[in-house]
Amino acid sequence: MSNAPSELTNLTIAQALKGLENKDFTSKELTQAHIDSVEAHDKLNAFVTKTPELALQQADASDKRRASGDAKPLDGIPLAIKDLYCTKGVRTTASSHILENFVPTYESTVSQNLFDDGIVMLGKTSLDEFAMGSSNMTSYFGNVINPWRSTSAPDIELTPGGSSGGSASAVAARMAMGATGTDTGGSIRQPASFCGISGIKPTYGRCSRWGVIAFASSLDQAGPMARTVEDCALMLTSMAGHDPKDSTSADIKVPDFSAALTGDIRGLKVGIPKEYRMDGTPAEIDALWDQGIEWLKESGAEIVDVSLPHTKYALPTYYIIAPAEASSNLARYDGVRYGLRIEGDNLIETYENTRAEGFGDEVKRRIMIGTYVLSAGYYDAYYVKAQRVRRLIAQDFENAYKQCDVILTPTAPSEAFALGQEEEDPIKMYLNDVFTVSVNLAGLPGLSLPTGLSANGLPLGLQIIGKSWDEETVLRVGGVLEKAANFVAMPDSSILKAA
Ligand code: GLN
């Protein structure tokens, strides 16, 4: 083997594919290096379930395929799968007590697509319970830790963001080359920003939701998280595609997304929405945004001011629609069909006991809000009104896209915060999604990539929002921004490594 294990875990997916092809190393070696890294970073608590034996078997099979000339597009690449994707025969918990021992008998379409393309699964990554949260603190299996530390308070553990915090932490700490995430209101992009990696939420309907445990069905999308824009493009090409099992999955051809990374954005129009200049955003985030604008200008893009006038209604709208759909989706966890059951004296009591014990506080809060806004007396005042505002938010983007091709914004209103810092105040936690939820409400693609460090030495991301089905332009602009930003900083997780 020509590469030491640490070198193998530092490769991008694109580089590793070349190395495998050139026989510089085997998938088994690449996979073993990542299994070792998962063990070394155990304290970060990124995984709910680790599957090293399965990974080595899959790596072995991959090496055999490659030897016989049958290599698939992602053959032999070790990835982590968010524990919201049902994986056949492998426990899938949604980080909830209620699904603690749930072993699906089926595979989600998106993970199946990845397996069909040859990936190796290292395990299932932790998340906020049922993907509800922005800090990973609501996981039943304990919070995930961000591998990054602030230079001003290096002893304080930071959140990786959420809900895909386990995936983000695993990719940032070089435990996995990439990971799947899901994004209902920002759960791929905000943790990517907090952990210094890239992640894209594709257009609603681009990836099948079948077999991905539902949170809010009209907002949920699967997407990739990786260390480069190109790696995201490679993963998305494999994950996306029409699926007859999901009626909202679109029958649209999946392009080779990595081919979109031409590096040329001359003449492209980049919109800057004035409503995203918000009071209370740290000056360094606005400054990074301005820097991003400069970089794109220098690369030949034209910058135009656009307006998204209904932006201020996005969070309240999201926090009506998402809980409404969640309350309905989570009705299925009744102690009869899935997971946990706490017997009562009768069926109603069994439901009550199971749900009282099985769900955490944040999930209960969402179920209560959702049930309230859907109840007969309040349906028109809240749910119907939120649906109307949602339409206006989508229309804002349609209007903006008459003037521009993509929109550039910050990803999150802060750097990674300390674990537990925002927990007491749910409203403050919800503010994390201020720049991301509109994208879900409008069903658009949005990419976050790391573009700089805060004064505390923590990663900060910028977001590129595209037109529906135009992930290619989003990725193309992302590639240019990535090159200009040249983000090479890495977390120093040595202090976190197990002895
Ligand atoms: N933080 C948001 C929420 O709590 C978004 C979560 C997500 O995208 N899954 O709902």
Side-chain angles (χ1 to χ4, degrees):
M1 184 169 87
S2 56
N3 294 62
S6 62
E7 287 173 46
L8 291 181
T9 58
N10 271 328
L11 297 175
T12 66
I13 295 174
Q15 290 165 341
L17 285 169
K18 283 207 187 81
L20 288 165
E21 202 177 296
N22 296 338
K23 307 213 177 350
D24 293 341
F25 45 83
T26 63
S27 172
K28 219 163 172 187
E29 288 162 339
L30 185 67
T31 300
Q32 188 62 55
H34 284 87
I35 292 172
D36 293 347
S37 181
V38 169
E39 279 317 310
H41 293 91
D42 201 35
K43 277 192 191 158
L44 297 180
N45 199 29
F47 287 81
V48 176
T49 304
K50 299 170 190 165
T51 54
E53 294 87 15
L54 176 67
L56 288 171
Q57 275 168 25
Q58 290 172 335
D60 207 35
S62 167
D63 286 332
K64 289 196 176 113
R65 275 194 300 271
R66 200 171 282 281
S68 58
D70 293 331
K72 309 265 196 278
L74 294 177
D75 225 317
I77 298 296
L79 301 179
I81 304 289
K82 184 177 182 179
D83 208 17
L84 201 63
Y85 290 70
C86 287
T87 40
K88 189 174 177 179
V90 177
R91 180 170 78 128
T92 301
T93 68
S95 279
S96 181
H97 184 31
I98 213 159
L99 289 177
E100 191 177 357
N101 298 310
F102 173 54
V103 179
T105 52
Y106 42 84
E107 187 72 40
S108 85
T109 299
V110 167
S111 50
Q112 187 63 55
N113 288 344
L114 287 167
F115 286 128
D116 289 347
D117 278 349
I119 69 131
V120 166
M121 180 173 84
L122 295 161
K124 306 291 296 287
T125 50
S126 192
L127 59 145
D128 282 289
E129 187 180 0
F130 282 102
M132 298 174 189
S134 307
S135 68
N136 229 286
M137 292 288 288
T138 71
S139 168
Y140 178 69
F141 302 95
N143 61 267
V144 175
I145 298 168
N146 191 326
W148 291 82
R149 293 288 177 111
S150 156
T151 48
S152 64
D155 297 333
I156 293 179
E157 291 178 345
L158 304 175
T159 172
S163 65
S164 311
S167 290
S169 178
V171 174
R174 274 71 181 161
M175 289 183 253
M177 308 202 88
T180 62
T182 64
D183 192 313
T184 304
S187 276
I188 287 176
R189 292 160 287 159
Q190 182 254 22
S193 178
F194 279 16
C195 291
I197 63 165
S198 300
I200 180 166
K201 181 204 90 75
T203 310
Y204 183 80
R206 181 64 94 177
C207 289
S208 169
R209 289 181 299 105
W210 195 83
V212 178
I213 294 173
F215 164 9
S217 308
S218 76
L219 300 160
D220 298 344
Q221 260 300 288
M225 304 172 82
R227 289 193 295 270
T228 64
V229 175
E230 183 185 20
D231 285 359
C232 286
L234 287 166
M235 282 180 68
L236 183 60
T237 305
S238 170
M239 293 165 70
H242 178 236
D243 177 9
K245 288 189 282 203
D246 171 5
S247 61
T248 62
S249 117
D251 196 357
I252 288 183
K253 201 175 155 298
V254 180
D256 172 2
F257 288 114
S258 53
L261 295 164
T262 60
D264 184 2
I265 58 163
R266 280 171 303 172
L268 207 95
K269 292 198 172 99
V270 179
I272 307 299
K274 61 172 187 275
E275 293 80 5
Y276 279 55
R277 298 264 177 211
M278 289 180 193
D279 289 345
T281 306
E284 59 186 359
I285 288 182
D286 276 331
L288 183 68
W289 191 12
D290 290 335
Q291 176 66 69
I293 293 170
E294 271 319 301
W295 281 327
L296 293 182
K297 221 192 268 177
E298 283 161 18
S299 306
E302 187 187 327
I303 306 298
V304 292
D305 290 327
V306 296
S307 174
L308 301 169
H310 296 91
T311 297
K312 61 175 176 289
Y313 302 115
L315 274 176
T317 302
Y318 172 85
Y319 277 100
I320 290 171
I321 291 174
E325 294 183 15
S327 71
S328 163
N329 274 325
L330 270 56
R332 76 189 71 180
Y333 304 105
D334 55 7
V336 177
R337 286 169 294 180
Y338 302 89
L340 185 78
R341 175 188 305 188
I342 314 282
E343 295 285 352
D345 288 339
N346 53 51
L347 186 61
I348 298 291
E349 231 179 78
T350 300
Y351 290 161
E352 287 173 355
N353 293 351
T354 302
R355 290 168 69 84
E357 190 132 331
F359 291 135
D361 288 349
E362 183 60 29
V363 172
K364 285 180 188 155
R365 185 176 296 125
R366 307 272 178 127
I367 292 173
M368 283 191 287
I369 296 171
T371 313
Y372 179 82
V373 300
L374 290 176
S375 59
Y378 298 101
Y379 186 83
D380 288 332
Y382 292 105
Y383 187 69
V384 171
K385 178 141 319 140
Q387 291 290 21
R388 292 199 175 124
V389 178
R390 178 180 189 171
R391 181 70 222 135
L392 294 174
I393 289 168
Q395 228 146 36
D396 282 355
F397 282 102
E398 281 162 27
N399 291 337
Y401 285 134
K402 288 178 189 148
Q403 291 167 265
C404 64
D405 302 294
V406 292
I407 290 172
L408 181 76
T409 77
T411 304
S414 74
E415 62 188 15
F417 46 86
L419 281 163
Q421 188 178 305
E422 312 282 3
E423 303 307 311
E424 275 95 79
D425 184 352
I427 304 285
K428 222 169 149 201
M429 186 66 79
Y430 297 169
L431 290 177
N432 263 284
D433 306 320
V434 65
F435 298 131
T436 48
V437 290
S438 302
V439 176
N440 301 73
L441 288 166
L444 303 172
L447 165 76
S448 177
L449 71 153
T451 46
L453 293 174
S454 70
N456 290 323
L458 293 172
L460 297 171
L462 288 177
Q463 172 178 235
I464 299 157
I465 308 170
K467 299 176 183 170
S468 281
W469 312 114
D470 193 15
E471 288 87 353
E472 287 167 284
T473 306
V474 170
L475 291 162
R476 182 150 58 100
V477 177
V480 168
L481 200 56
E482 180 179 58
K483 194 158 170 231
N486 188 29
F487 184 88
V488 290
M490 269 171 66
D492 173 17
S493 54
S494 52
I495 31 172
L496 297 164
K497 285 191 181 172

